[in-house]
C-alpha cells in the first residue's frame, strides 16, 4: 500500500481542524532509497570534494580559457553597479535581466581579499568561485534528495566538477552560472524531505532569481514543477505547496517588468529602449546559428567544440537522460536535461557558446542517478556483489574516462592563452602616452583595465558602440579622427566589414606594440589622424 503524506496542523483545539498547515509530514521514501540532510561526516565529505574541485578549477584560472568579450561585458556591467554608474557601463537596453551582474558586483570584494592582481577579467573569475562552489554542493544535495546513495552522490559531484568542459566553462564569467546555482537551489528546496511550506515559497523565489539572472533558465521551470508535484502530498497539502511556490515566483519575478514600467520602458517607442522591444529582438529578430546537425553551421561547430573538450559527460548525460525519464525519482533532473537538449537542437535557433553551462549539472545528476539505479538492481541476497561491481566500475572509469579527462584538463592547468591580454593591460597601465586625455577604442575584455589605468570612462569606447550607439557617435563629431588609440583584439577583428568606423581605425593606424601569438595577437595601434579618408 502506498503511503501519502498527511496534513498536520500546528494549532490546537477546534481551530486546529480548520487552520492550514505550514509543515507537511514526509512520506517514507521508496524501498532501498534513503534521503538525508548533509550533516556530520557526510557534510564534511561533500565539502572536501567541493574543495578538491575548486582547487583544480582555480589553478591557472587567469591563463585558460582565453578571455571573451562576453566576460568583459558582464564584468564592466558589474563595475557600473558597484560604482553607482547604473545597471550597465552604457545604456541598459534589457538585453538580459541585470540580477546576475548585480550579484557579481556584490562579490567584487573577494579578489581583493586574496590579493589578486592582473587583468580585470582575472579578478572577475576569482569572484565567481563561490558560485561554482554552490553549484557543486547543490549537485550533491540534489543527488541525495533524489534518493541516491553517498557514493552515487559523490560520483555526481565529481562527474560535474572534474569534467574538462566544466573546468573550462565554469571558470568564465557567465550569467548562466548564477542562474544554474539558483535553479539548483530551487530544485533542492522542493525536494526537501521536511516539506515545510516555506521550502516551496523559497523555491519559487529562487526560481524567479534564476530567471532574472539569465532568462533562458526559464525553460527548466517544468523540472521544478515535476519535483514539487512528486514531493508534495496527494491531499490538501498539494494546493498549499503549489500556492507557496507560485507566490514566491510571482512576488520576486514581478520586480523586473515593474522596473521597466516605472521607467516608461515596458513598450517600444521612439527615443528609448524597452523590455518588450528587447524580447522581440531576442526571440524574433536575432539571427540564428543554424542546426546542430548541419556541418558548417555555427551551432554544429559549437557542439563540436564542446565534444572536443569532453564527449564523456555529454554522451553519457544524453543516454542517462533518456533512461532516467522512466525512473520516477530521477524524473525532475531528467526533464530539465531533456528540455535543455530540445532547446539546443531546435531548428533555426540561436545557440550561444555558454549554453552548455546550464546543461552540465543536470547531465551529471542523471548519469550518477542511473549508476545508482544499476547498483540497486543487485538482488538483496547478493549484496556482496556491490563492492566487486563498484571496483570494476572504478577500474573502467580509470581506463576509459581518466586518460581523456587528464589530457583534457592538462591544457586547463598549463596553457596561457591570456598572455597577450595580460601584457596589453600592463602596457595600458604603464606605457600608454597621455592616458588622462586619450580616447581609446577596445573590446570589453580590456574596457575596465583602461578605466582602471586612468583613462576617463567616457573616452574608453567598446568597439561595437563606435558604429552602433548614436550617443557615442555624438561625442565624436570627426568620426574616427577623434580616436587616439585602437586596441585591436581577435574579437574586434572578427568581422570588421560590418563596422565601418572600426574598419577605418584599422586602416588608418600604426602599430605601436603587439602582444601574444600571431593567431591571437593584441595590438596597440596609434591612429594616423592626417591620413586621407
Amino acid at each position: 500500500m502506498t503511503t501519502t503524506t498527511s496534513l498536520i496542523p500546528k494549532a490546537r483545539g477546534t481551530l486546529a481542524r480548520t487552520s492550514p498547515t505550514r509543515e507537511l509530514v514526509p512520506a517514507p521514501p521508496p524501498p532501498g532509497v534513503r534521503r538525508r540532510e548533509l550533516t556530520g561526516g557526510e557534510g564534511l565529505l561533500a565539502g572536501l570534494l567541493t574543495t578538491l574541485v575548486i582547487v583544480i578549477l582555480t589553478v591557472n584560472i587567469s591563463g585558460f580559457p582565453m578571455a571573451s568579450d562576453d566576460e568583459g561585458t558582464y564584468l564592466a556591467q558589474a563595475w557600473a553597479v558597484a560604482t553607482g554608474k547604473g545597471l550597465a557601463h552604457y545604456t541598459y537596453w534589457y538585453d538580459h535581466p541585470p540580477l546576475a551582474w548585480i550579484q557579481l558586483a556584490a562579490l567584487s570584494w573577494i579578489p581583493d581579499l586574496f590579493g589578486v592582481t592582473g587583468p580585470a577579467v582575472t579578478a572577475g573569475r576569482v569572484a565567481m568561485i563561490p558560485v561554482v562552489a554552490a553549484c557543486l554542493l547543490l549537485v550533491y544535495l540534489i543527488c541525495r534528495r533524489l534518493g541516491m546513495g553517498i557514493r552515487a552522490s559523490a560520483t555526481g559531484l565529481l562527474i560535474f566538477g572534474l569534467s574538462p568542459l566544466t573546468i573550462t566553462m565554469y571558470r568564465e564569467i557567465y550569467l548562466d552560472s548564477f542562474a544554474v546555482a539558483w535553479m539548483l537551489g530551487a530544485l533542492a528546496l522542493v525536494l526537501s524531505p521536511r516539506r515545510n511550506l516555506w521550502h516551496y515559497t523559497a523555491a519559487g523565489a529562487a526560481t524567479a532569481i534564476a530567471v532574472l539572472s539569465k532568462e533562458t533558465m526559464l525553460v527548466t521551470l517544468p523540472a521544478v514543477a515535476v519535483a514539487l508535484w512528486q514531493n508534495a502530498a496527494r491531499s490538501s497539502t498539494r494546493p498549499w505547496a503549489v500556492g507557496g511556490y507560485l507566490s514566491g515566483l510571482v512576488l520576486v519575478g514581478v520586480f523586473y517588468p515593474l522596473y521597466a514600467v516605472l521607467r516608461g520602458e515596458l513598450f517600444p517607442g521612439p527615443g528609448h529602449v524597452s523590455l518588450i522591444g528587447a524580447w522581440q529582438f531576442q526571440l524574433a529578430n536575432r539571427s540564428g546559428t543554424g542546426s546542430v546537425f548541419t556541418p558548417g553551421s555555427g551551432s554544429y561547430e559549437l557542439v563540436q567544440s564542446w565534444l572536443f573538450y569532453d564527449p564523456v559527460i555529454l554522451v553519457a548525460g544524453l543516454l542517462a537522460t533518456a533512461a532516467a525519464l522512466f525512473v520516477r525519482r530521477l524524473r525532475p533532473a531528467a526533464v530539465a536535461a531533456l528540455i535543455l537538449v530540445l532547446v539546443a537542437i531546435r531548428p533555426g535557433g540561436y545557440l550561444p557558446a555558454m549554453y552548455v553551462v546550464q546543461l552540465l549539472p543536470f547531465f551529471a545528476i542523471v548519469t550518477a542517478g542511473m549508476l545508482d539505479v544499476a547498483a540497486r538492481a543487485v538482488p538483496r541476497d547478493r549484496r556482496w556483489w556491490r563492492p566487486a561491481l563498484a571496483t570494476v566500475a572504478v577500474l573502467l572509469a580509470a581506463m576509459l574516462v581518466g586518460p581523456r579527462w587528464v589530457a583534457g584538463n592538462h591544457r586547463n592547468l598549463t596553457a596561457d592563452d591570456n598572455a597577450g591580454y595580460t601584457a596589453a593591460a600592463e602596457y595600458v597601465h604603464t606605457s600608454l602616452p597621455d592616458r588622462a586625455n586619450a580616447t581609446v577604442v577596445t573590446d570589453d575584455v580590456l574596457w575596465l583595465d583602461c578605466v582602471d589605468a586612468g583613462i576617463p570612462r567616457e573616452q574608453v569606447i567598446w568597439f561595437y558602440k563606435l558604429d552602433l550607439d548614436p550617443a557615442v557617435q555624438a561625442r565624436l563629431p570627426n568620426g574616427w579622427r577623434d580616436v587616439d588609440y585602437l586596441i585591436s583584439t581577435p574579437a574586434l577583428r572578427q568581422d570588421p566589414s560590418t563596422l565601418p568606423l572600426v574598419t577605418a581605425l584599422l586602416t588608418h593606424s600604426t602599430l605601436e606594440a603587439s602582444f601574444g601569438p600571431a593567431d591571437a595577437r593584441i595590438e596597440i595601434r596609434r591612429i594616423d589622424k592626417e591620413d586621407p579618408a
Side-chain angles (χ1 to χ4, degrees):
M1 183 177 66
T2 302
T3 304
T4 60
T5 59
S6 59
L7 188 64
I8 305 295
K10 287 190 172 182
R12 296 182 178 179
T14 305
L15 183 61
R17 299 187 181 93
T18 58
S19 299
T21 187
R22 293 183 54 176
E23 185 172 348
L24 315 178
V25 175
V33 175
R34 304 172 69 183
R35 293 175 177 169
R36 295 180 178 176
E37 301 295 323
L38 300 189
T39 58
E42 188 178 351
L44 179 61
L45 171 65
L48 289 174
L49 294 177
T50 297
T51 301
L52 169 66
V53 173
I54 292 298
V55 168
I56 295 173
L57 184 136
T58 53
V59 173
N60 195 41
I61 195 171
S62 63
F64 189 86
M66 188 173 185
S68 69
D69 213 37
D70 284 321
E71 286 189 276
T73 299
Y74 303 143
L75 186 60
Q77 290 170 322
W79 170 87
V81 171
T83 56
K85 308 298 184 184
L87 287 179
H89 55 317
Y90 288 98
T91 300
Y92 173 61
W93 64 281
Y94 299 94
D95 54 332
H96 297 295
L99 195 51
W101 62 80
I102 291 175
Q103 296 172 72
L104 180 57
L107 298 173
S108 60
W109 56 273
I110 293 177
D112 291 336
L113 182 66
F114 293 99
V116 175
T117 59
V121 167
T122 298
R125 289 181 176 183
V126 171
M128 294 291 294
I129 290 174
V131 182
V132 182
C135 291
L136 290 162
L137 288 170
L138 285 167
V139 164
Y140 184 93
L141 180 60
I142 289 169
C143 287
R144 292 294 278 143
R145 290 185 173 179
L146 289 175
M148 300 182 209
I150 293 176
R151 293 186 184 89
S153 300
T155 300
L157 186 154
L158 292 175
I159 290 173
F160 172 50
L162 296 182
S163 164
L165 188 55
T166 299
I167 297 294
T168 300
M169 300 303 296
Y170 273 81
R171 279 179 170 182
E172 299 188 76
I173 306 167
Y174 287 139
L175 311 182
D176 306 66
S177 300
F178 290 99
V180 166
W182 285 104
M183 192 58 82
L184 290 175
L187 189 57
L189 284 165
V190 297
L191 290 171
S192 172
R194 296 181 180 177
R195 294 182 173 90
N196 289 326
L197 182 59
W198 77 263
H199 286 136
Y200 299 111
T201 306
T207 301
I209 294 173
V211 175
L212 293 181
S213 298
K214 185 65 178 288
E215 68 283 356
T216 53
M217 208 70 214
L218 179 64
V219 301
T220 59
L221 190 151
V224 182
V226 169
L228 187 154
W229 195 259
Q230 290 181 346
N231 207 42
R234 298 178 183 177
S235 66
S236 59
T237 61
R238 182 174 283 165
W240 287 99
V242 173
Y245 179 80
L246 292 177
S247 297
L249 179 67
V250 172
L251 289 175
V252 175
V254 74
F255 280 98
Y256 188 45
L258 180 61
Y259 171 82
V261 169
L262 294 176
R263 292 181 58 86
E265 295 175 346
L266 180 62
F267 298 102
H272 68 82
V273 297
S274 71
L275 175 59
I276 293 178
W279 287 350
Q280 290 172 340
F281 169 78
Q282 298 280 18
L283 297 175
N285 300 330
R286 191 166 194 171
S287 299
T289 53
S291 170
V292 298
F293 304 110
T294 304
S297 70
S299 295
Y300 178 88
E301 296 300 328
L302 179 59
V303 172
Q304 293 304 306
S305 71
W306 295 341
L307 290 169
F308 170 80
Y309 281 110
D310 184 16
V312 175
I313 192 171
L314 296 178
V315 174
L318 195 60
L319 295 175
T321 296
L325 288 169
F326 300 96
V327 181
R328 185 180 185 276
R329 63 188 173 92
L330 301 180
R331 198 166 295 147
V335 167
L338 176 64
I339 293 174
L340 288 167
V341 169
L342 293 177
V343 171
I345 66 175
R346 74 195 188 281
Y350 175 76
L351 187 63
M354 68 288 295
Y355 184 82
V356 74
V357 169
Q358 301 180 29
L359 194 55
L360 290 171
F362 296 106
F363 268 5
I365 291 169
V366 294
T367 300
M370 291 312 301
L371 291 174
D372 185 72
V373 169
R376 294 181 189 278
V378 178
R380 287 179 174 271
D381 58 345
R382 298 183 179 180
R383 291 283 177 87
W384 58 273
W385 284 13
R386 288 188 179 180
L389 291 174
T391 301
V392 171
V394 169
L395 291 175
L396 285 175
M399 291 186 296
L400 301 178
V401 179
R404 184 178 293 273
W405 278 12
V406 169
N409 279 321
H410 180 263
R411 184 171 182 182
N412 285 331
L413 302 178
T414 59
D416 191 4
D417 286 8
N418 288 312
Y421 272 118
T422 301
E426 180 65 21
Y427 181 92
V428 170
H429 275 266
T430 61
S431 303
L432 192 72
D434 196 20
R435 290 190 298 278
N437 299 306
T439 296
V440 179
V441 172
T442 182
D443 67 6
D444 250 8
V445 174
L446 289 170
W447 188 93
L448 189 53
D449 288 291
C450 290
V451 173
D452 288 342
I455 304 172
R457 171 196 171 198
E458 295 77 12
Q459 293 170 211
V460 182
I461 302 173
W462 181 22
F463 71 93
Y464 276 118
K465 298 294 182 178
L466 189 65
D467 280 283
L468 303 178
D469 192 332
V472 172
Q473 293 174 1
R475 299 202 301 265
L476 304 173
N478 298 312
W480 60 268
R481 288 186 174 87
D482 286 330
V483 177
D484 298 300
Y485 291 96
L486 172 69
I487 303 179
S488 175
T489 67
L492 183 144
R493 296 189 297 269
Q494 188 171 8
D495 191 14
S497 61
T498 61
L499 304 170
L501 288 177
V502 172
T503 302
L505 290 175
L506 288 168
T507 303
H508 302 287
S509 59
T510 300
L511 181 65
E512 293 283 315
S514 180
F515 309 100
D519 59 343
R521 68 190 183 281
I522 313 296
E523 298 177 346
I524 311 296
R525 305 186 69 90
R526 178 176 50 80
I527 308 305
D528 301 323
K529 301 186 180 185
E530 301 304 322
D531 281 2

